[in-house]
Amino acid sequence: MGRKLLLEHADVPGIETFDVYRKHGGYRSVEKALKTMSPEEVVEEVKTATLKGRGGAGFPAGMKWSFIAKPEGVPRYLLCNADESEPGTFKDRYLMQYIPHLLIEGMIVSSYALGANQAYIYIRGEYMFVLRIVEKAIAEAYEKGFLGKNILGSGFDLDLSIAPGGGAYICGEETALIESLEGKRGNPRMKPPFPAVQGLWQCPTVVNNVETLATVVPIINMTAAEYTKIGTEQSKGTKLISAGGNVERGGVYEIELGLSVEEFIYGDEWCRGIKNGKKMKALVPGGSSVPILPAHLITKTANGDTRLMSYESLSDGGFASGSMLGSGGFIVFDEDQCIVRNTWNFARFYAHESCGQCSPCREGTGWMEKVLHRIETGKGNMRDIDLLADINKKIEGNTICPLGDAAAWPVAAAIRHFREEFEWHVTHPEEAVKRNYGMLKGVTA
Amino acid sequence: MKIEITEQKRPVLSEEAKAEIQRVIKQYPEGRQKSAILRVMHIVEEEAGGWLSPDTMDMIAEILSIEPIEVYEVATFYTMFNLQPVGKYVFEVCRTGPCMLVGSDNIITYLENKLNIKVGETTTDGMFTLKTAECLGACGYGPMLQCGEEYHEYLTPEKVDELIEACRRGEIKGNKVV
Ligand SMILES: Cc1cc2nc3c(=O)[nH]c(=O)nc-3n(C[C@H](O)[C@H](O)[C@H](O)COP(=O)(O)O)c2cc1C
Ligand code: SF4
Ligand code: FES
């Protein structure tokens, strides 16, 4: 059994209410931080814990916090990114739906550390039913004196509310989120200036993922020294993983970083193997934006080391033979799946979600979708495969925000590892329309 | 994006909706009321029967003391807002990778045949609109669809049949009839 720091009490009946949550040790970190620690000490603790951002990029949270500008008389804001729209990712919803006070608690401590007196949660609009749960929990926290003026007599004030999006993946990008929260279209901003200097309403702002903010709670409660005893050399603590695709038991799991990928996929406590007793063909370990891994690179790295659920092990081998932990969106493919079809599906997603500001992304994602669709439906030619690589290069690094890269990488990885599958679609145009490649060929690796 | 203009007079807001709008506007500092726009649009859309007509959007602009164009800009950017009338029940089936791996294509085809409409269309009796959506954050429980605020997961043709029947019996919350 791995240790659970976030979901330990998620199954307790009534844990979504203040009283039950409090009875199970809830809001202790607020008492500890506000009564016995200075804001700087909280930042230092999170830094020492080497907490990496759980939204996908893995940027150290403590470091991000220390960048926030502190001009006299200018308000600072903490924003929680609950936009969660990266395909394969549904962990933040689980946390907010079942244990909403954990997020609120983490946001109080984090706001205190940043000197922010106003914080907002930006949640994707489709999660309106979750918004209502969190909103109720916020009202309870106000009632009990954990939000509002002079929290626990500490002199620290905090207002917190939750705002819905309107259906746009791009609003998960932090500057697009800020634009959206200002009531505008979600077009990402050029950086610099970074949000830490000019964010919401041009004021210093920190944007963190739901899970990142929730993880501040156990760090403060148990101390960074204890927290860092869990995990691996470069990946400390626990991580929420949302598993989907062709696994026997999909869902949200909290793992200790460093668990082996094999154990996670096949272990009884976790995914329990591939559905219908089939074989595994491929894995996307960190949400749709990260490179796909073929069967022979999933449980072992290219060097033959055991592949672990950690930042460093999943990226071992770089883009040539590795991938990324990303958002923890774990997508498993069984032997019957067609990689070309899935690559086209993801490309369609990015084309649909491009905000359209930069031409390499707006046009490039559209072309990739069309070319991939052409190949998938048996109308492609061999040159199309190289054309995709070429479009890729023209998008990568030439856009305002990373959505362009996120669209390009999965296509490049799919071609790198499954080129013969793309070629088969070209050489067997009639069969490609009628049949699913995976069903036809089985495991290729 | 091409917008065909369908006219509908602005809805008469219920007292609860009015209070809710005032509450969410107060969540932002003085002069930043525009930040409440998406929440207000969701509230008003519900009051207006599931879609926003130009006149309804003008009303939102008045509520927030902003220009109508600022509402149109937002309404055309975010995919959740319907700018054309929709059925009483809108089924949004997730079509993205993880759901496709577990058979969302079959569910979409099944719904098209069953309701005798294509994705994007509404049944002639005005009961059902079929749409597809990108990943709705339920990938471990697919195939899935959203209807109103509710998620329906682990879909099979039988479960889809049951859902449609439940809608016909009025057991599922649908759009307001205005
Ligand atoms: C296109 C795009 C979509 C993103 N979507 C999300 C998201 O849904 N949730 C999230 O937490 N971060 C998302 N991010 C990352 C955010 O920009 C930002 O890095 C993150 O919220 C920072 O929080 P963290 O450091 O705690 O992870 C996205 C980034 C990009 C480029
Ligand atoms: S890279 Fe794409 S999504 Fe990002 S700002 Fe440019 S057009 Fe918009
Ligand atoms: S892919 Fe369907 S809910 Fe995520």
Side-chain angles (χ1 to χ4, degrees):
Chain A
M1 259 306 260
R3 288 183 65 177
K4 293 195 177 19
L5 306 180
L6 301 175
L7 302 184
E8 192 183 353
H9 303 300
D11 296 334
V12 175
I15 197 73
E16 71 285 356
T17 63
F18 181 91
D19 289 339
V20 177
Y21 181 73
R22 184 88 170 119
K23 216 173 282 158
H24 285 83
Y27 289 101
R28 263 189 306 141
S29 72
V30 175
E31 290 172 311
K32 182 172 175 185
L34 270 54
K35 290 185 176 163
T36 70
M37 297 169 83
S38 70
E40 294 73 27
E41 281 168 337
V42 177
V43 175
E44 215 38 54
E45 201 68 13
V46 172
K47 257 193 194 165
T48 312
T50 66
L51 170 61
K52 291 189 166 86
R54 303 299 199 219
F59 192 83
M63 205 190 293
K64 187 190 276 187
W65 291 6
S66 62
F67 292 154
I68 193 163
K70 298 181 172 167
E72 248 341 279
V74 179
R76 281 166 239 154
Y77 296 102
L78 172 66
L79 306 182
C80 169
N81 190 340
D83 193 55
E84 189 161 72
S85 314
E86 168 100 351
T89 316
F90 50 102
K91 64 184 178 76
D92 296 336
R93 162 158 87 96
Y94 190 93
L95 198 152
M96 291 184 287
Q97 192 172 354
Y98 297 107
I99 187 157
H101 283 285
L102 184 66
L103 173 60
I104 298 169
E105 180 176 356
M107 288 190 74
I108 299 169
V109 175
S110 306
S111 299
Y112 173 71
L114 292 163
N117 301 114
Q118 174 73 63
Y120 295 100
I121 301 167
Y122 180 92
I123 189 168
R124 63 180 299 182
E126 296 89 342
Y127 285 177
M128 194 58 88
F129 62 105
V130 184
L131 177 146
R132 298 195 198 284
I133 293 169
V134 177
E135 201 157 63
K136 211 165 149 191
I138 291 175
E140 278 186 302
Y142 267 105
E143 225 170 83
K144 304 287 180 179
F146 281 85
L147 284 172
K149 292 257 175 284
N150 193 18
I151 298 169
L152 304 180
S154 64
F156 175 63
D157 306 336
L158 179 65
D159 281 309
L160 172 65
S161 57
I162 182 164
Y169 166 67
I170 192 58
C171 291
E173 194 281 331
E174 57 184 11
T175 60
L177 185 153
I178 290 170
E179 286 283 302
S180 183
L181 201 54
E182 291 184 358
K184 297 183 266 186
R185 294 163 77 93
N187 288 335
R189 295 177 183 171
M190 285 278 221
K191 295 193 238 183
F194 288 91
V197 180
Q198 285 178 23
L200 184 65
W201 304 309
Q202 301 302 317
C203 297
T205 302
V206 162
V207 183
N208 273 129
N209 173 259
V210 172
E211 184 188 349
T212 312
L213 293 169
T215 304
V216 171
V217 174
I219 290 174
I220 295 303
N221 279 336
M222 68 199 288
T223 73
E226 284 301 311
Y227 180 81
T228 48
K229 285 183 185 157
I230 303 170
T232 67
E233 189 62 33
Q234 292 170 50
S235 309
K236 300 300 184 191
T238 64
K239 172 92 187 78
L240 299 183
I241 304 289
S242 57
N246 305 119
V247 284
E248 188 58 46
R249 195 172 64 147
V252 175
Y253 302 100
E254 180 172 7
I255 59 148
E256 283 187 24
L257 286 160
L259 178 75
S260 81
V261 172
E262 185 163 9
E263 174 69 22
F264 182 68
I265 296 174
Y266 295 100
D268 264 0
E269 206 182 316
W270 321 103
C271 302
R272 298 186 180 164
I274 311 303
K275 229 187 174 89
N276 303 320
K278 290 186 186 170
K279 285 189 227 143
M280 178 166 55
K281 175 174 180 176
L283 167 72
V284 172
S288 61
S289 305
V290 310
I292 192 168
L293 292 172
H296 68 281
L297 291 172
I298 296 175
T299 57
K300 294 246 183 298
T301 66
N303 295 330
D305 296 329
T306 302
R307 180 88 73 184
L308 306 178
M309 309 280 287
S310 71
Y311 290 93
E312 65 274 24
S313 181
L314 279 169
S315 57
D316 186 299
F319 276 9
S321 65
S323 183
M324 275 148 76
L325 179 60
S327 63
F330 207 80
I331 311 167
V332 175
F333 296 65
D334 72 28
E335 57 191 295
D336 291 342
Q337 303 300 339
C338 174
I339 300 298
V340 177
R341 187 163 179 75
N342 193 73
T343 309
W344 161 66
N345 182 295
F346 281 169
R348 180 178 67 179
F349 170 82
Y350 290 105
H352 185 259
E353 301 298 333
S354 166
C355 84
Q357 272 192 112
C358 343
S359 28
C361 170
R362 182 188 60 237
E363 303 301 323
T365 53
W367 286 345
M368 283 202 295
E369 191 219 321
K370 286 198 194 86
V371 174
L372 280 161
H373 189 250
R374 192 153 82 201
I375 298 174
E376 161 65 6
T377 51
K379 297 186 198 104
N381 59 49
M382 287 297 179
R383 276 199 323 272
D384 282 342
I385 302 173
D386 297 316
L387 178 62
L388 284 170
D390 189 52
I391 301 172
N392 250 303
K393 274 200 221 92
K394 298 206 161 105
I395 300 177
E396 233 184 310
N398 292 324
T399 57
I400 294 177
C401 92
L403 185 136
D405 296 342
W409 292 340
V411 178
I415 296 176
R416 189 179 314 122
H417 296 302
F418 297 94
R419 194 175 181 104
E420 74 285 359
E421 207 162 310
F422 286 83
E423 290 174 354
W424 178 88
H425 279 77
V426 173
T427 51
H428 297 73
E430 275 164 28
E431 294 204 56
V433 202
K434 275 190 255 149
R435 274 190 268 276
N436 173 325
Y437 178 87
M439 299 279 214
L440 208 63
K441 297 276 170 140
V443 178
T444 55
Chain B
M1 185 196 271
K2 181 167 159 257
I3 308 174
E4 281 170 33
I5 307 291
T6 308
E7 285 301 333
Q8 186 194 49
K9 290 256 181 306
R10 53 186 69 188
V12 179
L13 297 182
S14 64
E15 288 310 312
E16 299 91 80
K18 279 189 204 157
E20 183 77 345
I21 288 170
Q22 288 316 312
R23 185 179 68 81
V24 299
I25 288 175
K26 285 205 195 78
Q27 293 173 338
Y28 303 96
E30 271 302 308
R32 304 291 188 193
Q33 75 285 356
K34 186 177 173 182
S35 285
I37 191 168
L38 291 171
R39 186 76 180 266
V40 172
M41 285 169 71
H42 286 298
I43 296 168
V44 173
E45 191 180 60
E46 196 179 326
E47 295 285 296
W51 72 288
L52 298 169
S53 71
D55 197 30
T56 305
M57 287 191 270
D58 293 350
M59 182 177 91
I60 293 170
E62 284 164 25
I63 292 171
L64 294 171
S65 313
I66 57 179
E67 294 300 323
I69 183 72
E70 296 177 85
V71 182
Y72 307 158
E73 272 183 358
V74 166
T76 50
F77 185 85
Y78 297 91
T79 56
M80 283 180 77
F81 301 107
N82 296 309
L83 304 183
Q84 288 293 316
V86 289
K88 177 148 195 239
Y89 298 98
V90 182
F91 291 160
E92 302 200 52
V93 190
C94 172
R95 67 177 190 178
T96 314
C99 277
M100 186 184 74
L101 293 178
V102 293
S104 60
D105 286 357
N106 296 342
I107 296 296
I108 295 167
T109 312
Y110 184 79
L111 271 162
E112 284 184 330
N113 292 336
K114 174 100 187 174
L115 299 173
N116 199 20
I117 49 174
K118 291 277 166 221
V119 169
E121 294 176 352
T122 300
T123 52
T124 44
D125 61 0
M127 276 291 275
F128 299 101
T129 298
L130 180 60
K131 291 171 74 173
T132 53
E134 295 294 354
C135 181
L136 289 166
C139 330
Y141 327 110
M144 62 82 65
L145 66 76
Q146 181 164 26
C147 175
E149 285 184 20
E150 271 175 47
Y151 278 17
H152 299 268
E153 299 168 339
Y154 300 113
L155 292 178
T156 57
E158 295 73 41
K159 284 188 87 170
V160 169
D161 288 347
E162 278 168 35
L163 175 62
I164 291 173
E165 284 315 308
C167 290
R168 290 222 161 95
R169 288 193 302 267
E171 291 164 12
I172 306 273
K173 188 169 177 249
N175 286 321
K176 264 193 191 170
V177 180
V178 288

